[in-house]
Amino acid sequence: MSGEMRAVTMGVHVLDVLVRPVETIPEGQGGELVEQIRITAAGSAGGTALVLARLGASVKSAGAIGTDAAGDMLLALLDRDGVDTSLLVRRDDVQTSASVLPIRPTGERPAFHVVGANGTFAPDDLPGEEIEAATHLHLGGPEFMGGEVAAPLLARAREHGAITSADVLAPGEPGLLDWIGPALAELDYFLPNDDQVLALTGADDLEAGCRALLGRGVGCVAATCGADGALVVDEDGADRVPAFEVDAVDTTGCGDAFSAGFLRGLSLGRDSRDAARLGCAAAAMVAQGLGTDHGEYDLAAVERLAAG
């Protein structure tokens, strides 16, 4: 295979403000010196787009942002890393989605988040010809538009030969599975994390939860498991793919990096297990610094790590 990848990443785009290290929030109007504060492009569509572009894919980001300074910054950061932002629509009446992430010394990251313009993105915002021209359509956050709305977009992409995938942002509240359910039958790949799988399905066992999602029509579930790597489940079986041992500074964006590496692996003709290995390698690159855009890696660097 040539490895040509024309991806559209559709859905959640967020401007992240990251601060590290943070052990406690100062009381009252107290202050505290920290080592780093960074601003990065992120989100289950935006972060995936950024890493895909670094891995050599042609990527268009589709979503909604505000006309505010945060939106200007988000566009600039995506443009800098080679993402085509022409499909991002701008709203005058709502702010750009943003998060403030105080990163603990362990790399864990509680979050303060504004949904903002992400809640306004609708199917009419994405021209049909862009869907039809894509080799891959990745939906970041199907819970924002709902499964019944998302399903026709995914079906249209598949009808024109595209591979479809999605990743949820929500932790998995009761009722979310039914809300996104109609979209699952149009997904070749679903890329949640282990906690989301268990919360969505009510299962006690990760593999059982993944199989419940296959029962909803998903072709393959690749569930990320943090430092334990990923579990890939399809009708042929289940494979554990280990994570790479690195000194983790911040886990922000690791799930999006996994999605990007996994999808890029598929575009290069890898099977799902080897694609997951590339996804784990991409996540390891991102985990070693602050934010989704950490590092100077490219596809060759990620493949070297994956092959090690």
Side-chain angles (χ1 to χ4, degrees), residues 187-287:
L187 290 178
D188 296 307
Y189 298 94
F190 189 36
L191 310 171
N193 65 40
D194 50 358
D195 289 337
Q196 290 168 329
V197 171
L198 297 177
L200 282 169
T201 64
D204 295 323
D205 173 76
L206 181 58
E207 183 177 340
C210 291
R211 294 207 176 281
L213 294 169
L214 296 185
R216 291 276 188 151
V218 177
C220 173
V221 179
T224 56
C225 307
D228 293 323
L231 177 67
V232 181
V233 182
D234 60 20
E235 62 181 9
D236 295 324
D239 285 302
R240 280 276 182 186
V241 179
F244 293 88
E245 291 188 14
V246 296
D247 292 328
V249 172
D250 170 30
T251 58
T252 302
C254 287
D256 301 328
F258 174 87
S259 294
F262 181 85
L263 296 173
R264 188 68 175 112
L266 295 175
S267 77
L268 295 167
R270 315 278 170 85
D271 62 25
S272 57
R273 190 187 191 286
D274 285 342
R277 187 166 175 83
L278 198 68
C280 287
M285 292 289 190
V286 169

Coordinates of all heavy atoms in Angstrom, one line a residue, residues 187-287:
L187 N -19.1 2.3 12.6 CA -17.7 2.5 13.0 C -16.9 1.2 12.6 O -17.2 0.1 13.1 CB -17.5 2.8 14.4 CG -18.0 4.2 14.9 CD1 -17.8 4.2 16.5 CD2 -17.2 5.3 14.2
D188 N -15.8 1.4 11.9 CA -14.9 0.3 11.7 C -14.0 0.1 12.9 O -13.7 -1.0 13.3 CB -14.0 0.6 10.5 CG -14.8 0.7 9.2 OD1 -15.5 -0.3 8.9 OD2 -14.6 1.7 8.5
Y189 N -13.7 1.3 13.6 CA -12.9 1.2 14.8 C -13.4 2.2 15.8 O -13.7 3.3 15.5 CB -11.4 1.6 14.4 CG -10.8 0.6 13.5 CD1 -10.8 0.9 12.1 CD2 -10.2 -0.6 13.9 CE1 -10.3 0.0 11.2 CE2 -9.6 -1.5 13.0 CZ -9.7 -1.2 11.7 OH -9.2 -2.1 10.8
F190 N -13.4 1.7 17.1 CA -13.8 2.5 18.2 C -12.7 2.6 19.2 O -12.1 1.5 19.5 CB -15.1 2.0 18.9 CG -15.7 2.8 19.9 CD1 -15.7 4.2 19.8 CD2 -16.3 2.3 21.1 CE1 -16.3 5.0 20.8 CE2 -16.9 3.1 22.0 CZ -16.9 4.4 21.9
L191 N -12.3 3.8 19.6 CA -11.0 3.9 20.3 C -11.2 4.6 21.7 O -10.6 5.7 22.0 CB -10.1 4.8 19.5 CG -9.9 4.3 18.0 CD1 -9.1 5.3 17.2 CD2 -9.2 2.9 18.0
P192 N -12.0 4.1 22.6 CA -12.1 4.6 23.9 C -11.0 4.2 24.9 O -10.1 3.4 24.5 CB -13.5 4.0 24.4 CG -13.4 2.6 23.8 CD -12.7 2.8 22.4
N193 N -11.0 4.7 26.1 CA -10.1 4.1 27.1 C -10.8 3.1 27.9 O -12.0 2.9 27.8 CB -9.5 5.2 28.0 CG -10.5 6.0 28.8 OD1 -11.4 5.4 29.4 ND2 -10.3 7.3 29.0
D194 N -10.0 2.4 28.7 CA -10.6 1.3 29.5 C -11.7 1.7 30.4 O -12.8 1.0 30.5 CB -9.5 0.5 30.2 CG -8.6 1.4 31.1 OD1 -8.7 2.7 31.0 OD2 -7.7 0.9 31.7
D195 N -11.5 2.8 31.1 CA -12.6 3.3 32.1 C -13.9 3.6 31.3 O -15.0 3.3 31.8 CB -12.1 4.5 32.8 CG -11.0 4.2 33.8 OD1 -10.9 3.0 34.3 OD2 -10.2 5.1 34.2
Q196 N -13.7 4.2 30.1 CA -14.9 4.5 29.3 C -15.7 3.2 28.9 O -16.9 3.2 28.9 CB -14.5 5.3 28.1 CG -14.1 6.8 28.5 CD -13.5 7.5 27.3 OE1 -12.8 6.9 26.5 NE2 -13.6 8.8 27.3
V197 N -14.9 2.2 28.5 CA -15.6 1.0 28.1 C -16.4 0.4 29.2 O -17.5 0.0 29.0 CB -14.5 -0.1 27.6 CG1 -15.1 -1.4 27.4 CG2 -13.8 0.4 26.3
L198 N -15.8 0.3 30.4 CA -16.5 -0.3 31.6 C -17.7 0.6 31.9 O -18.7 0.0 32.3 CB -15.5 -0.4 32.7 CG -14.3 -1.3 32.5 CD1 -13.4 -1.3 33.7 CD2 -14.7 -2.7 32.2
A199 N -17.5 1.9 31.9 CA -18.7 2.8 32.3 C -19.8 2.7 31.3 O -21.0 2.7 31.6 CB -18.2 4.2 32.5
L200 N -19.4 2.7 30.0 CA -20.4 2.6 28.9 C -21.2 1.4 29.0 O -22.5 1.4 28.8 CB -19.8 2.8 27.5 CG -19.3 4.1 27.1 CD1 -18.4 4.0 25.8 CD2 -20.5 5.0 26.8
T201 N -20.6 0.2 29.2 CA -21.2 -1.1 29.1 C -21.7 -1.6 30.4 O -22.5 -2.6 30.4 CB -20.3 -2.1 28.4 OG1 -19.1 -2.3 29.3 CG2 -19.8 -1.6 27.1
G202 N -21.2 -1.2 31.5 CA -21.5 -1.7 32.8 C -20.8 -3.1 33.0 O -21.1 -3.7 34.0
A203 N -19.8 -3.4 32.2 CA -19.1 -4.7 32.3 C -18.1 -4.6 33.5 O -17.6 -3.5 33.8 CB -18.4 -5.0 31.0
D204 N -17.8 -5.7 34.1 CA -16.7 -5.8 35.1 C -15.4 -6.1 34.5 O -14.3 -5.9 35.1 CB -17.1 -6.8 36.1 CG -18.3 -6.5 36.9 OD1 -18.5 -5.3 37.2 OD2 -19.1 -7.4 37.2
D205 N -15.4 -6.6 33.3 CA -14.2 -7.1 32.6 C -14.0 -6.3 31.3 O -14.9 -6.1 30.5 CB -14.3 -8.6 32.3 CG -13.1 -9.1 31.5 OD1 -12.0 -9.3 32.0 OD2 -13.3 -9.3 30.3
L206 N -12.8 -5.8 31.0 CA -12.5 -5.0 29.8 C -12.8 -5.7 28.6 O -13.5 -5.2 27.7 CB -11.1 -4.5 29.8 CG -10.7 -3.5 28.7 CD1 -11.6 -2.3 28.6 CD2 -9.3 -3.1 28.8
E207 N -12.4 -6.9 28.4 CA -12.7 -7.7 27.2 C -14.2 -7.9 27.0 O -14.7 -7.7 25.9 CB -11.9 -9.0 27.1 CG -12.1 -9.7 25.8 CD -11.4 -11.1 25.7 OE1 -10.4 -11.2 26.5 OE2 -11.7 -11.9 24.9
A208 N -14.8 -8.2 28.1 CA -16.3 -8.4 28.0 C -17.0 -7.1 27.5 O -17.9 -7.1 26.7 CB -16.9 -8.9 29.3
G209 N -16.5 -5.9 28.1 CA -17.0 -4.6 27.7 C -16.8 -4.4 26.2 O -17.7 -3.9 25.5
C210 N -15.6 -4.7 25.7 CA -15.3 -4.5 24.3 C -16.2 -5.3 23.5 O -16.7 -4.9 22.4 CB -13.8 -4.8 24.0 SG -12.6 -3.6 24.8
R211 N -16.4 -6.6 23.9 CA -17.3 -7.4 23.1 C -18.7 -6.9 23.1 O -19.5 -7.1 22.1 CB -17.2 -8.9 23.6 CG -15.8 -9.5 23.4 CD -15.8 -11.0 23.3 NE -14.4 -11.4 23.0 CZ -13.9 -11.3 21.8 NH1 -14.6 -10.9 20.8 NH2 -12.6 -11.7 21.6
A212 N -19.2 -6.3 24.2 CA -20.5 -5.7 24.2 C -20.6 -4.6 23.1 O -21.6 -4.4 22.5 CB -20.8 -5.2 25.6
L213 N -19.5 -3.8 23.0 CA -19.5 -2.8 21.9 C -19.5 -3.4 20.5 O -20.1 -2.9 19.6 CB -18.3 -1.9 22.1 CG -18.3 -1.1 23.4 CD1 -17.0 -0.4 23.7 CD2 -19.4 0.0 23.4
L214 N -18.8 -4.5 20.4 CA -18.9 -5.2 19.1 C -20.3 -5.6 18.8 O -20.8 -5.6 17.7 CB -18.0 -6.5 19.1 CG -16.5 -6.3 19.2 CD1 -15.8 -7.7 19.1 CD2 -15.9 -5.3 18.2
G215 N -21.0 -6.0 19.9 CA -22.4 -6.4 19.7 C -23.3 -5.2 19.3 O -24.4 -5.5 18.7
R216 N -22.8 -4.0 19.4 CA -23.6 -2.8 19.0 C -23.2 -2.5 17.5 O -23.7 -1.5 17.0 CB -23.2 -1.6 19.8 CG -23.8 -1.7 21.3 CD -25.2 -1.2 21.3 NE -25.7 -1.1 22.6 CZ -26.6 -0.2 23.0 NH1 -27.1 0.7 22.1 NH2 -27.1 -0.1 24.2
G217 N -22.3 -3.3 16.9 CA -22.0 -3.1 15.5 C -20.6 -2.6 15.2 O -20.3 -2.5 14.0
V218 N -19.8 -2.3 16.2 CA -18.5 -1.8 16.0 C -17.6 -2.9 15.3 O -17.7 -4.1 15.8 CB -17.8 -1.3 17.3 CG1 -16.4 -0.9 17.0 CG2 -18.6 -0.2 17.9
G219 N -16.8 -2.6 14.4 CA -15.9 -3.6 13.8 C -14.8 -4.1 14.6 O -14.5 -5.3 14.7
C220 N -14.2 -3.1 15.3 CA -13.0 -3.4 16.2 C -12.9 -2.4 17.3 O -13.2 -1.2 17.0 CB -11.7 -3.4 15.4 SG -10.2 -3.6 16.3
V221 N -12.6 -2.8 18.5 CA -12.4 -1.9 19.6 C -11.0 -1.9 20.0 O -10.4 -3.0 20.3 CB -13.3 -2.2 20.8 CG1 -13.1 -1.2 22.0 CG2 -14.8 -2.2 20.4
A222 N -10.3 -0.8 20.0 CA -8.9 -0.7 20.5 C -9.0 0.2 21.7 O -9.1 1.4 21.6 CB -8.0 -0.1 19.5
A223 N -9.0 -0.4 22.9 CA -9.2 0.4 24.2 C -7.8 0.6 24.8 O -7.0 -0.3 25.0 CB -10.0 -0.4 25.1
T224 N -7.5 1.9 25.1 CA -6.3 2.3 25.7 C -6.4 2.0 27.2 O -7.4 2.2 27.8 CB -5.9 3.7 25.4 OG1 -7.0 4.6 25.9 CG2 -5.7 4.0 24.0
C225 N -5.2 1.6 27.8 CA -5.2 1.2 29.2 C -4.1 1.9 29.9 O -3.5 1.3 30.8 CB -5.0 -0.3 29.3 SG -6.3 -1.2 28.3
G226 N -3.8 3.1 29.6 CA -2.7 3.9 30.3 C -1.4 3.2 30.2 O -0.9 2.8 29.1
A227 N -0.7 3.0 31.3 CA 0.6 2.4 31.4 C 0.6 0.9 31.0 O 1.6 0.3 30.8 CB 1.2 2.6 32.8
D228 N -0.6 0.3 30.9 CA -0.8 -1.1 30.5 C -1.0 -1.2 29.0 O -1.2 -2.4 28.5 CB -1.9 -1.7 31.3 CG -1.6 -1.8 32.7 OD1 -0.5 -2.1 33.1 OD2 -2.6 -1.7 33.5
G229 N -0.9 -0.1 28.2 CA -0.9 -0.3 26.8 C -2.3 -0.2 26.2 O -3.1 0.7 26.5
A230 N -2.7 -1.2 25.5 CA -4.0 -1.3 24.8 C -4.5 -2.7 24.7 O -3.7 -3.6 24.6 CB -4.0 -0.6 23.5
L231 N -5.8 -2.8 24.6 CA -6.5 -4.1 24.3 C -7.2 -4.0 23.0 O -8.1 -3.1 22.9 CB -7.4 -4.5 25.4 CG -8.2 -5.8 25.2 CD1 -7.2 -7.0 25.2 CD2 -9.3 -6.0 26.3
V232 N -6.9 -4.8 22.0 CA -7.6 -4.8 20.7 C -8.5 -6.0 20.6 O -8.0 -7.1 20.8 CB -6.5 -4.8 19.6 CG1 -7.2 -4.7 18.2 CG2 -5.6 -3.6 19.7
V233 N -9.8 -5.7 20.4 CA -10.7 -6.8 20.4 C -11.6 -6.7 19.1 O -12.1 -5.6 18.8 CB -11.7 -6.7 21.6 CG1 -12.7 -7.9 21.6 CG2 -10.9 -6.8 22.9
D234 N -11.6 -7.8 18.3 CA -12.5 -7.9 17.2 C -13.1 -9.3 17.2 O -12.9 -10.1 18.1 CB -11.8 -7.5 15.9 CG -10.7 -8.4 15.6 OD1 -10.6 -9.5 16.1 OD2 -9.8 -8.0 14.7
E235 N -13.8 -9.6 16.1 CA -14.5 -10.9 16.1 C -13.5 -12.1 16.0 O -13.9 -13.3 16.3 CB -15.4 -11.0 14.8 CG -14.7 -10.9 13.5 CD -15.7 -10.9 12.3 OE1 -16.9 -10.9 12.6 OE2 -15.2 -11.0 11.2
D236 N -12.3 -11.8 15.7 CA -11.3 -12.9 15.6 C -10.5 -13.2 16.9 O -9.8 -14.2 17.0 CB -10.2 -12.6 14.5 CG -10.8 -12.5 13.1 OD1 -11.7 -13.3 12.9 OD2 -10.4 -11.7 12.3
G237 N -10.7 -12.3 17.9 CA -10.0 -12.5 19.2 C -9.7 -11.2 19.9 O -10.1 -10.1 19.5
A238 N -8.8 -11.3 20.9 CA -8.3 -10.2 21.7 C -6.8 -10.2 21.8 O -6.2 -11.3 22.0 CB -9.0 -10.2 23.0
D239 N -6.2 -9.1 21.7 CA -4.7 -9.0 21.8 C -4.4 -7.8 22.7 O -4.9 -6.7 22.6 CB -4.1 -8.7 20.4 CG -4.1 -9.9 19.5 OD1 -3.5 -10.9 19.9 OD2 -4.7 -9.8 18.4
R240 N -3.5 -8.1 23.7 CA -2.9 -7.1 24.5 C -1.7 -6.5 23.9 O -0.8 -7.3 23.4 CB -2.5 -7.7 25.9 CG -3.7 -7.9 26.8 CD -4.0 -6.6 27.6 NE -5.1 -6.8 28.5 CZ -5.6 -5.8 29.2 NH1 -5.1 -4.5 29.1 NH2 -6.6 -6.0 30.1
V241 N -1.6 -5.2 23.8 CA -0.4 -4.6 23.2 C 0.2 -3.7 24.3 O -0.4 -2.8 24.9 CB -0.8 -3.7 22.0 CG1 0.4 -3.0 21.5 CG2 -1.5 -4.5 21.0
P242 N 1.4 -4.0 24.7 CA 2.0 -3.3 25.9 C 2.4 -1.9 25.6 O 2.7 -1.5 24.4 CB 3.3 -4.1 26.2 CG 3.6 -4.8 24.9 CD 2.3 -5.1 24.2
A243 N 2.4 -1.1 26.6 CA 2.9 0.3 26.5 C 4.4 0.3 26.4 O 5.1 -0.7 26.8 CB 2.4 1.2 27.6
F244 N 5.0 1.4 26.0 CA 6.5 1.6 26.0 C 6.9 2.3 27.3 O 6.2 3.2 27.8 CB 6.9 2.4 24.8 CG 6.7 1.6 23.5 CD1 5.5 1.7 22.8 CD2 7.7 0.8 23.0 CE1 5.3 1.0 21.7 CE2 7.5 0.1 21.8 CZ 6.3 0.2 21.2
E245 N 7.9 1.8 27.9 CA 8.4 2.4 29.2 C 9.1 3.7 28.9 O 10.2 3.7 28.3 CB 9.3 1.4 29.9 CG 8.6 0.2 30.4 CD 9.4 -0.7 31.3 OE1 10.5 -0.2 31.7 OE2 9.0 -1.8 31.6
V246 N 8.5 4.8 29.4 CA 9.1 6.1 29.3 C 9.0 6.8 30.6 O 8.1 6.4 31.4 CB 8.5 6.9 28.1 CG1 8.8 6.3 26.8 CG2 7.0 7.1 28.3
D247 N 9.7 7.9 30.8 CA 9.5 8.8 31.9 C 8.3 9.7 31.6 O 8.5 10.7 30.9 CB 10.7 9.5 32.3 CG 11.9 8.6 32.8 OD1 11.6 7.6 33.4 OD2 13.0 8.9 32.5
A248 N 7.1 9.4 32.1 CA 5.9 10.2 31.8 C 5.9 11.5 32.6 O 6.0 11.4 33.8 CB 4.7 9.3 32.1
V249 N 5.8 12.6 31.9 CA 5.6 13.9 32.5 C 4.2 14.3 32.6 O 3.7 14.9 33.6 CB 6.4 14.9 31.7 CG1 6.2 16.3 32.2 CG2 7.9 14.6 31.8
D250 N 3.4 14.0 31.5 CA 2.0 14.4 31.4 C 1.3 13.5 30.5 O 1.8 13.2 29.4 CB 2.0 15.9 30.9 CG 0.6 16.4 30.5 OD1 -0.4 15.9 31.1 OD2 0.5 17.2 29.6
T251 N 0.1 13.0 30.9 CA -0.6 12.1 30.0 C -1.6 12.8 29.2 O -2.4 12.1 28.4 CB -1.3 11.0 30.9 OG1 -2.2 11.7 31.8 CG2 -0.4 10.2 31.7
T252 N -1.7 14.1 29.2 CA -2.6 14.9 28.4 C -2.3 14.5 26.9 O -1.2 14.6 26.4 CB -2.4 16.4 28.6 OG1 -2.7 16.7 29.9 CG2 -3.4 17.2 27.7
G253 N -3.3 14.2 26.2 CA -3.2 14.0 24.7 C -2.7 12.6 24.3 O -2.6 12.3 23.2
C254 N -2.4 11.7 25.3 CA -1.9 10.4 25.0 C -2.9 9.6 24.3 O -2.6 8.8 23.4 CB -1.4 9.7 26.2 SG 0.2 10.3 26.9
G255 N -4.2 9.7 24.7 CA -5.2 9.0 24.0 C -5.4 9.4 22.6 O -5.6 8.6 21.6
D256 N -5.3 10.7 22.3 CA -5.4 11.2 21.0 C -4.2 10.8 20.1 O -4.3 10.5 18.9 CB -5.5 12.8 21.0 CG -6.7 13.3 21.8 OD1 -7.8 12.5 21.8 OD2 -6.7 14.3 22.4
A257 N -3.0 10.8 20.8 CA -1.8 10.3 20.1 C -2.0 8.9 19.7 O -1.5 8.4 18.6 CB -0.6 10.6 20.9
F258 N -2.5 8.1 20.6 CA -2.7 6.6 20.3 C -3.7 6.5 19.1 O -3.4 5.7 18.1 CB -3.3 5.9 21.5 CG -3.7 4.5 21.1 CD1 -2.8 3.5 21.2 CD2 -5.0 4.2 20.7 CE1 -3.1 2.1 20.9 CE2 -5.4 2.9 20.4 CZ -4.4 1.9 20.4
S259 N -4.8 7.3 19.1 CA -5.7 7.2 18.0 C -5.0 7.5 16.7 O -5.2 6.9 15.7 CB -6.9 8.2 18.2 OG -7.7 7.8 19.3
A260 N -4.2 8.6 16.7 CA -3.5 9.0 15.5 C -2.5 7.9 15.0 O -2.5 7.6 13.8 CB -2.7 10.3 15.7
G261 N -1.7 7.4 15.9 CA -0.8 6.4 15.6 C -1.5 5.1 15.1 O -1.0 4.5 14.1
F262 N -2.6 4.7 15.7 CA -3.3 3.6 15.3 C -3.9 3.7 13.9 O -3.7 2.9 13.0 CB -4.5 3.3 16.3 CG -5.3 2.1 16.0 CD1 -4.9 0.9 16.4 CD2 -6.5 2.3 15.3 CE1 -5.7 -0.2 16.2 CE2 -7.3 1.1 15.0 CZ -6.9 -0.1 15.5
L263 N -4.5 4.9 13.6 CA -5.1 5.1 12.3 C -4.0 5.2 11.2 O -4.2 4.8 10.1 CB -6.0 6.4 12.4 CG -7.2 6.3 13.3 CD1 -7.9 7.6 13.4 CD2 -8.2 5.2 12.8
R264 N -2.9 5.9 11.6 CA -1.8 5.9 10.6 C -1.3 4.6 10.3 O -0.9 4.2 9.1 CB -0.7 6.8 11.2 CG 0.4 7.2 10.1 CD -0.1 8.0 9.0 NE 0.9 8.4 8.1 CZ 1.0 8.1 6.8 NH1 0.0 7.2 6.3 NH2 1.9 8.5 6.0
G265 N -1.2 3.7 11.3 CA -0.8 2.4 11.1 C -1.7 1.6 10.1 O -1.2 0.9 9.2
L266 N -3.0 1.8 10.3 CA -3.9 1.1 9.4 C -3.7 1.6 7.9 O -3.8 0.8 7.0 CB -5.4 1.4 9.8 CG -5.8 0.9 11.1 CD1 -7.2 1.4 11.5 CD2 -5.8 -0.7 11.1
S267 N -3.4 2.9 7.8 CA -3.3 3.5 6.4 C -2.0 2.9 5.8 O -1.9 2.9 4.5 CB -3.2 5.0 6.5 OG -1.9 5.5 7.0
L268 N -1.1 2.5 6.6 CA 0.2 1.9 6.1 C 0.1 0.4 5.8 O 1.1 -0.3 5.5 CB 1.3 2.2 7.0 CG 1.7 3.7 7.2 CD1 2.6 3.9 8.4 CD2 2.3 4.2 5.9
G269 N -1.1 -0.1 6.0 CA -1.4 -1.6 5.8 C -1.1 -2.5 6.9 O -1.1 -3.7 6.8
R270 N -0.9 -1.9 8.1 CA -0.7 -2.8 9.3 C -2.0 -3.4 9.8 O -3.1 -2.8 9.6 CB -0.2 -1.9 10.5 CG 1.0 -1.0 10.1 CD 2.3 -1.7 10.0 NE 3.3 -0.8 9.4 CZ 4.0 0.1 10.1 NH1 3.8 0.3 11.4 NH2 4.9 0.9 9.5
D271 N -1.9 -4.6 10.4 CA -3.1 -5.1 11.0 C -3.4 -4.4 12.3 O -2.6 -3.5 12.7 CB -3.0 -6.6 11.2 CG -1.9 -7.0 12.2 OD1 -1.5 -6.2 13.0 OD2 -1.4 -8.2 12.1
S272 N -4.5 -4.7 12.9 CA -5.0 -3.9 14.1 C -4.0 -4.0 15.2 O -3.8 -3.0 16.0 CB -6.4 -4.3 14.5 OG -6.4 -5.6 14.8
R273 N -3.4 -5.1 15.5 CA -2.4 -5.2 16.6 C -1.2 -4.4 16.3 O -0.7 -3.7 17.2 CB -2.0 -6.7 16.8 CG -1.2 -6.9 18.1 CD -0.6 -8.3 18.3 NE -0.1 -8.4 19.6 CZ 1.0 -7.9 20.1 NH1 1.8 -7.2 19.3 NH2 1.4 -8.1 21.3
D274 N -0.6 -4.5 15.1 CA 0.6 -3.7 14.8 C 0.2 -2.2 14.7 O 1.1 -1.3 15.1 CB 1.2 -4.1 13.5 CG 1.9 -5.5 13.6 OD1 2.2 -5.8 14.7 OD2 2.2 -6.1 12.6
A275 N -1.0 -1.9 14.3 CA -1.4 -0.5 14.3 C -1.5 0.0 15.8 O -1.1 1.2 16.1 CB -2.8 -0.3 13.6
A276 N -2.0 -0.8 16.7 CA -2.0 -0.4 18.1 C -0.6 -0.2 18.6 O -0.4 0.6 19.5 CB -2.8 -1.5 18.9
R277 N 0.3 -1.0 18.2 CA 1.7 -0.8 18.6 C 2.3 0.5 18.2 O 2.9 1.2 19.0 CB 2.6 -1.9 18.1 CG 4.0 -1.9 18.7 CD 4.8 -3.2 18.4 NE 6.2 -3.1 18.8 CZ 6.6 -3.4 20.1 NH1 5.7 -3.7 21.0 NH2 7.8 -3.3 20.4
L278 N 1.9 0.9 17.0 CA 2.3 2.3 16.5 C 1.6 3.3 17.3 O 2.2 4.4 17.7 CB 2.0 2.4 15.0 CG 2.7 3.6 14.3 CD1 4.2 3.3 14.2 CD2 2.2 3.8 12.9
G279 N 0.3 3.1 17.7 CA -0.4 4.0 18.5 C 0.2 4.2 19.9 O 0.4 5.3 20.4
C280 N 0.7 3.0 20.5 CA 1.3 3.1 21.8 C 2.6 3.9 21.7 O 3.0 4.6 22.6 CB 1.5 1.7 22.3 SG 0.0 0.9 22.9
A281 N 3.3 3.7 20.6 CA 4.6 4.4 20.4 C 4.4 5.9 20.3 O 5.1 6.7 20.8 CB 5.3 3.9 19.2
A282 N 3.3 6.3 19.6 CA 3.0 7.8 19.4 C 2.6 8.3 20.8 O 3.0 9.4 21.2 CB 1.9 8.0 18.4
A283 N 1.9 7.6 21.6 CA 1.5 8.0 22.9 C 2.7 8.2 23.8 O 2.8 9.1 24.6 CB 0.5 7.0 23.5
A284 N 3.7 7.3 23.7 CA 4.9 7.4 24.5 C 5.7 8.6 24.1 O 6.3 9.2 25.0 CB 5.7 6.1 24.2
M285 N 5.7 9.0 22.9 CA 6.3 10.3 22.5 C 5.7 11.5 23.2 O 6.4 12.3 23.8 CB 6.3 10.5 21.0 CG 7.1 9.5 20.2 SD 8.9 9.7 20.4 CE 9.5 8.7 19.1
V286 N 4.4 11.5 23.2 CA 3.7 12.6 23.8 C 3.8 12.7 25.3 O 3.9 13.8 25.9 CB 2.2 12.6 23.3 CG1 1.3 13.6 24.1 CG2 2.1 12.9 21.8
A287 N 3.8 11.5 25.9 CA 3.8 11.4 27.4 C 5.1 12.0 28.0 O 5.1 12.3 29.2 CB 3.7 10.0 27.8

